[in-house]
Amino acid sequence: MRTDELIALLAKTPRPVPPLGWTAMLTLLVAAITALNVAILGFRPDIAAPPLSMALKSALLLALLVLAGMTLAHAARPIATVHRTPALAFAGVLAAAVAWEWTHVPAAEIVHFFFLPNFPFCLGAVTIYGALAAGALTWLMRYYAPADTAKAATNLGLAAAAAGAVGYSVHCPVDSPTFVVIAYGCPVAWVALTARALLTRHIRW
Amino acid sequence: MKAVDDNAAMASLLTAVAPLLRRYCAAQLARYRRSDWAEDMVQEVMLTLHLKLHTFNAEMAFTAWMQAIAKHKIIDTLRRERMVQVPIEEAEALGDGSDENAMAQRDLAQLLARLKPPAGEIIHALKVDGVSVKDLAAKFATSESNIKVMVHRGLRRLARLLAEEKA
């Protein structure tokens, strides 16, 4: 086929319908994971009168999700742009929350959270929900055109695990910032790294 | 009416970008001695532009977006065809100081040493160092034709030695 014939053909072909946006997809995923989590594990006991610490935990996890979603949306384009300031601001807030806890709460009380059954449960649940979300995001990414597929796969894993963390957090009764950083941070990190290793080849375009 | 306008806009866009794409693809593929693939690549990029149009937004420069897609497609195709480009600096480094080059030098020296002196020295001077027959004749106090005969016999003997080693 000659190029001018292809141009004529493409001009006549209807434009493909744009795929679902990243914000819509992540919102759907958080809703689905939360529903699944509540159906299986239920809400945390104090959900009717949530303490302020839960609001802080939810805010941190939602900020992570928004940040990961923004990064994913940028990485899904042929020209990827990097915005480091929000990530640095988030890391600063997280570090400040952990520092505040270690200066105001006895160390034994913080360390105690890691000996509760919630800790391994948290690691497992966020990983499983993250993996499920990563599958859905991989399907969507095939309709996009990431400049760097390895980076896009990492961001995809990060956003998926963040969605899993937000969904699971309605069950988890521990609001300690140190606990959140470790028990939610570890699965987020390994889901992101596993996504980089396994999903890069599946999002080539 | 809108659909007709859209079709016309798409046709004029693709017609306008075709020469740009053709030049870009030809220039990129020429680095891999694959200029003949340029037209196929232009068509593949156009198809991708059509499918991924939603990834463009007004904040980006259209040409940069289009070139990013073209670059991706070219790299993808070359990867599929397992084409590897070695930067010239690396190629020179390989040629200059590689073990392979040093081994070849050692093999040649060993083979020449097995010839009747001074045939090995004369062949090395003539074929490797580029010394002229006249200069060699003066150096070895003999005639130019005698030098040529020694070189001819020496090369025949080298060929036999190599054949024996291969066997």
Side-chain angles (χ1 to χ4, degrees):
Chain A
M1 182 187 276
R2 284 172 33 213
T3 304
D4 50 350
E5 289 170 344
L6 178 73
I7 292 173
L9 189 70
L10 288 176
K12 278 186 223 152
T13 311
R15 238 53 80 236
V17 179
L20 200 59
W22 294 107
T23 309
M25 184 57 162
L26 286 171
T27 308
L28 281 175
L29 281 174
V30 169
I33 290 168
T34 308
L36 181 71
N37 185 55
V38 169
I40 299 170
L41 303 170
F43 283 113
R44 55 189 275 168
D46 56 357
I47 195 77
L52 190 64
S53 57
M54 186 193 167
L56 175 70
K57 181 173 89 170
S58 302
L60 285 176
L61 292 174
L62 279 171
L64 175 68
L65 179 65
V66 170
L67 204 60
M70 278 167 53
T71 316
L72 181 61
H74 285 294
R77 293 176 186 163
I79 304 175
T81 44
V82 180
H83 300 282
R84 288 201 173 86
T85 318
L88 290 173
F90 176 72
V93 170
L94 214 57
V98 171
W100 182 90
E101 185 182 28
W102 281 89
T103 50
H104 290 78
V105 179
E109 198 177 313
I110 300 169
V111 173
H112 165 73
F113 292 128
F114 293 94
F115 292 95
L116 295 175
N118 298 69
F119 181 55
F121 213 79
C122 217
L123 297 176
V126 176
T127 304
I128 291 166
Y129 292 149
L132 292 175
L137 292 178
T138 304
W139 165 77
L140 185 59
M141 185 60 97
R142 295 169 71 90
Y143 294 94
Y144 283 82
D148 182 334
T149 47
K151 271 187 196 165
T154 313
N155 291 325
L156 186 153
L158 190 70
V166 171
Y168 173 73
S169 68
V170 294
H171 167 76
C172 178
V174 183
D175 298 330
S176 151
T178 309
F179 182 86
V180 170
V181 167
I182 294 171
Y184 288 72
C186 287
V188 166
W190 67 56
V191 169
L193 292 175
T194 310
R196 185 188 180 95
L198 299 181
L199 300 180
T200 303
R201 77 186 81 157
H202 297 291
I203 57 172
R204 288 205 181 123
W205 49 284
Chain B
M1 185 64 190
K2 188 179 178 300
V4 173
D5 286 350
D6 277 359
N7 291 352
M10 180 53 96
S12 58
L13 172 74
L14 293 176
T15 308
V17 299
L20 289 175
L21 271 178
R22 203 167 282 129
R23 258 201 313 276
Y24 180 79
C25 293
Q28 295 296 316
L29 288 165
R31 294 163 60 196
Y32 303 86
R33 297 170 191 235
R34 281 286 178 262
S35 307
D36 51 320
W37 292 359
E39 205 55 38
D40 286 347
M41 194 57 67
V42 168
Q43 294 191 7
E44 195 169 340
V45 173
M46 281 184 173
L47 208 58
T48 312
L49 290 181
H50 185 262
L51 290 172
K52 307 284 180 183
L53 202 56
H54 63 90
T55 63
F56 173 73
N57 69 21
E59 291 164 21
M60 304 174 188
F62 180 80
T63 320
W65 174 77
M66 182 185 73
Q67 278 189 359
I69 287 182
K71 185 180 165 191
H72 181 91
K73 281 288 152 195
I74 289 170
I75 291 171
D76 195 44
T77 304
L78 291 171
R79 192 181 286 148
R80 233 180 9 245
E81 301 293 330
R82 304 204 181 282
M83 302 275 301
V84 179
Q85 186 196 34
V86 179
I88 194 73
E89 298 81 16
E90 285 178 31
E92 278 172 2
L94 282 173
D96 279 343
S98 69
D99 292 346
E100 200 179 325
N101 200 22
M103 274 165 62
Q105 290 279 355
R106 262 202 309 278
D107 288 350
L108 179 66
Q110 278 175 358
L111 279 172
L112 290 175
R114 289 166 71 179
L115 298 178
K116 189 178 169 188
E121 192 182 342
I122 289 171
I123 289 172
H124 193 278
L126 187 75
K127 300 290 182 187
V128 179
D129 300 331
V131 181
S132 70
V133 175
K134 193 178 168 186
D135 290 345
L136 284 170
K139 186 183 172 187
F140 290 99
T142 184
S143 65
E144 289 182 31
S145 55
N146 205 12
I147 292 289
K148 285 177 186 169
V149 169
M150 278 198 277
V151 169
H152 179 69
R153 286 180 181 163
L155 289 176
R156 260 204 339 217
R157 169 104 179 106
L158 276 179
R160 268 205 308 276
L161 287 171
L162 282 171
E164 281 167 15
E165 278 194 355
K166 271 188 182 173

